[in-house]
Amino acid sequence: MKVALFSGSVYGTAEEVARHAERLLKEAGFETRYDPRATLEDIQAFAPEALLAVTSTTGMGDLPDNLQPLFYAIRDQFPAWGGLPGAVIALGDSSYGDTFCGGGEQVRELFAELGLREALPMLRLDASETVTPEVDAEPWLADLIKTLKA
């Protein structure tokens, strides 16, 4: 199975989580494509069979600047990904209250609008509780791998 990963990051943490996820997916036998600067055309050329987004949250629940062009391209061009499994890892800080993991929520909503099947409920990683989000994501990623292989 071909899994396309993309990320949005301010300080690089979401990119590190995405790289770690890519490593685990490759070890599990998946063909992956991850480029933190990927365009919609790059992802479509890969012809993904599943999508994984990893994003942090900025401001008042916003997407990081580096993810916005891809997010809006996906939203505006509406690629034919309906029925594919999709999953989201959201990074945030719960001390921000209602906007906690807002970037991930936006991607999750976009996936739903596109008709992607939610492979697993969105993983929320709280910066106020962890300093190793890539390690904290491992049990969820193991579940994702099992789900995608089923």
Side-chain angles (χ1 to χ4, degrees):
M1 175 179 278
K2 296 168 75 171
V3 181
L5 295 91
F6 60 88
S7 68
S9 196
V10 177
Y11 300 111
T13 306
E15 282 184 23
E16 184 54 39
V17 173
R19 283 189 189 93
H20 191 65
E22 180 187 33
R23 221 173 4 262
L24 294 176
L25 287 162
K26 281 184 177 180
E27 288 172 5
F30 292 94
E31 184 180 345
T32 63
R33 183 190 194 296
Y34 173 61
D35 176 353
R37 288 166 280 296
T39 64
L40 176 56
E41 292 76 22
D42 295 334
I43 295 170
Q44 287 180 307
F46 178 67
E49 298 166 298
L51 296 161
L52 174 60
V54 182
T55 186
S56 59
T57 301
T58 66
M60 296 302 296
D62 300 321
L63 292 167
D65 289 344
N66 70 323
L67 181 55
Q68 288 182 21
L70 177 60
F71 178 88
Y72 294 125
I74 291 169
R75 186 195 67 192
D76 295 345
Q77 296 179 34
F78 217 80
W81 293 338
L84 296 181
V88 179
I89 297 175
L91 289 81
D93 187 328
S94 61
S95 68
Y96 284 86
D98 292 344
T99 62
F100 175 56
C101 291
E105 288 292 349
Q106 288 185 51
V107 174
R108 185 172 175 243
E109 289 171 13
L110 178 62
F111 279 7
E113 289 173 20
L114 293 170
L116 272 75
R117 290 183 292 108
E118 189 172 52
L120 288 178
M122 185 173 76
L123 175 63
R124 290 170 175 83
L125 296 172
D126 189 348
S128 66
E129 294 180 2
T130 184
V131 293
T132 56
E134 66 281 358
V135 173
D136 293 345
E138 287 180 358
W140 185 91
L141 287 164
D143 287 344
L144 179 64
I145 288 167
K146 288 178 198 165
T147 300
L148 294 178
K149 285 188 170 188

